[in-house]
Amino acid sequence: MNRTLHHPASLPKIPLVRYLLPLIIIVLAVVKFFPQITTLENSISVIRSMSVLLIFLAVVAQVCSYLSSGYVLKVIVNLGQSRLSIFRGALIAMVAASIGLVAGGWVSAATITYRLVQNDENAHEEAALAGVLPLLFNTALLVILSTIGLMYLLINHQLSSAQMFGSGFILFIFWLGFVVIIFGIKHQDIVERMVLWIVNHLMRLLGRVYDATPIRNMINSTFSGLTLLLNGRWKGAALGSGLNIGFDMLTLYFLFIAAGHASNPGVLMAGYSVAFLLEKAFFFIPGGIGVIEGGLVAIYTSLGIPGTICVVAILSYRLISFWIPILLGFVVWVYLQRT
């Protein structure tokens, strides 16, 4: 493969205070998003009644979700001559999420992925693809699931006009973006000029100076990867993204059952996909803190699930799927640096 991509700048050191302070703010924000908690006694009662076996199954499902992320990275890296194991890919995905939370969001996550894959395999272009394509595949799958979920809720008359309008508008923006990407596979130069024009005017409006080189590199990486994947190799990456999201939803499903409510699979998928699509729309909020929790609680309570059960299940889900992996990610980061 052609290895002419520019190297990103070296990653900065992340002092302890930089993620302790955001963590404190995040916890306070999460608490603010849960006015649905009626009494502490009710929540504690639900927690005490939760099945240990179901909680264990939720943890197993989440481990499988991260391994699926590792499989996506493996497929992308294997587009070239390099090789990456699923386990190593899962560790890289975990580290990228942790660093991205405290140091710049998905941009830092993509850079971390690039650096770790490159260090493992000395594979420059594959590493650049690994930093961009998983986000693109996951977002595409969430858009498809959200469209199906909204149709399900609309048919069953479980959406208000405001909810339908808001969700429909966000879906329209994402679908428009995918149309532009598909168009760009054959007309990359036009899409690149359009993106740079938008960024240029946005930065001018904000009074900021920007470097167009990283944007061009990201566009080149995205379309290069899509061209390779469209030659028949997209199925592995799509399967990995599907397993990643599927096992993540299964985690939430087990926790709802553990909390005493067997959620309808259609309702579960609709609420999950719409909430996480909102998280993609509010990409400037690290880790979707508050957006995901608040979105899941609001959607599921509006669909008739008791508020206390929603809060306990969703808090447990975020603990297993987000907070514990984030903390472990910093430990794994130290391990990967040493190895």
Side-chain angles (χ1 to χ4, degrees):
M1 298 179 70
N2 179 28
R3 307 184 186 280
T4 58
L5 292 180
H6 296 273
H7 293 256
S10 298
L11 294 172
K13 299 291 184 181
I14 301 178
L16 187 64
V17 68
R18 286 194 63 183
Y19 59 85
L20 280 181
L21 181 58
L23 183 60
I24 295 172
I25 297 174
I26 286 165
V27 171
L28 293 176
V30 170
V31 173
K32 181 181 177 181
F33 272 92
F34 293 116
Q36 291 85 356
I37 301 179
T38 54
T39 62
L40 182 60
E41 291 78 9
N42 288 342
S43 299
I44 293 175
S45 175
V46 172
I47 293 172
R48 286 177 176 173
S49 67
M50 293 177 76
S51 166
V52 175
L53 176 60
L54 288 170
I55 294 174
F56 173 75
L57 290 175
V59 172
V60 171
Q62 193 56 218
V63 170
C64 292
S65 179
Y66 270 91
L67 290 174
S68 300
S69 296
Y71 177 73
V72 175
L73 291 181
K74 170 185 168 66
V75 170
I76 293 172
V77 171
N78 289 359
L79 289 172
Q81 300 301 316
S82 305
R83 293 294 177 265
L84 183 72
S85 70
I86 294 176
F87 180 70
R88 186 82 171 181
L91 294 182
I92 291 174
M94 185 181 295
V95 169
S98 299
I99 302 301
L101 178 66
V102 299
W106 69 268
V107 176
S108 292
T111 304
I112 279 286
T113 303
Y114 177 97
R115 299 296 296 182
L116 291 177
V117 172
Q118 180 195 8
N119 289 341
D120 276 354
E121 303 293 345
N122 193 27
H124 304 307
E125 188 169 346
E126 296 95 317
L129 298 178
V132 175
L133 290 185
L135 175 64
L136 184 62
F137 268 89
N138 278 15
T139 303
L141 188 56
L142 282 173
V143 169
I144 294 172
L145 290 177
S146 297
T147 303
I148 297 172
L150 284 176
M151 291 176 63
Y152 172 86
L153 295 179
L154 184 63
I155 292 172
N156 288 276
H157 306 289
Q158 293 179 307
L159 275 181
S160 67
S161 299
Q163 288 173 326
M164 190 62 197
F165 175 79
S167 302
F169 178 75
I170 293 174
L171 274 177
F172 171 76
I173 297 299
F174 276 103
W175 277 115
L176 181 63
F178 287 127
V179 170
V180 171
I181 291 174
I182 293 171
F183 174 80
I185 293 175
K186 297 292 186 181
H187 306 87
Q188 181 178 334
D189 55 336
I190 298 176
V191 172
E192 184 173 310
R193 288 199 300 269
M194 181 176 65
V195 171
L196 290 175
W197 182 86
I198 294 173
V199 172
N200 180 56
H201 281 73
L202 180 61
M203 292 297 104
R204 186 178 298 176
L205 182 65
L206 297 175
R208 297 181 180 180
V209 179
Y210 77 101
D211 182 8
T213 301
I215 298 175
R216 289 194 176 96
N217 286 340
M218 184 184 71
I219 293 173
N220 289 334
S221 298
T222 300
F223 286 115
S224 296
L226 288 175
T227 301
L228 288 171
L229 290 170
L230 288 176
N231 291 331
R233 302 186 183 184
W234 62 271
K235 296 178 182 178
L239 174 63
S241 292
L243 291 173
N244 171 241
I245 293 176
F247 280 118
D248 199 44
M249 280 196 287
L250 190 60
T251 302
L252 182 58
Y253 181 69
F254 281 139
L255 290 170
F256 264 119
I257 297 176
H261 184 89
S263 178
N264 181 294
V267 171
L268 179 79
M269 184 194 72
Y272 176 95
S273 56
V274 171
F276 275 85
L277 196 64
L278 286 174
E279 183 259 341
K280 300 296 181 186
F282 291 91
F283 61 90
F284 48 86
I285 299 178
I289 301 300
V291 176
I292 293 176
E293 292 88 348
L296 287 172
V297 169
I299 292 171
Y300 285 133
T301 52
S302 69
L303 296 176
I305 300 177
T308 303
I309 289 178
C310 277
V311 170
V312 171
I314 291 166
L315 279 176
S316 302
Y317 161 73
R318 287 292 274 175
L319 178 66
I320 292 172
S321 68
F322 183 75
W323 289 112
I324 292 177
I326 286 295
L327 296 176
L328 289 176
F330 292 112
V331 178
V332 175
W333 167 240
V334 175
Y335 164 74
L336 291 181
Q337 283 187 312
R338 290 181 177 178
T339 56

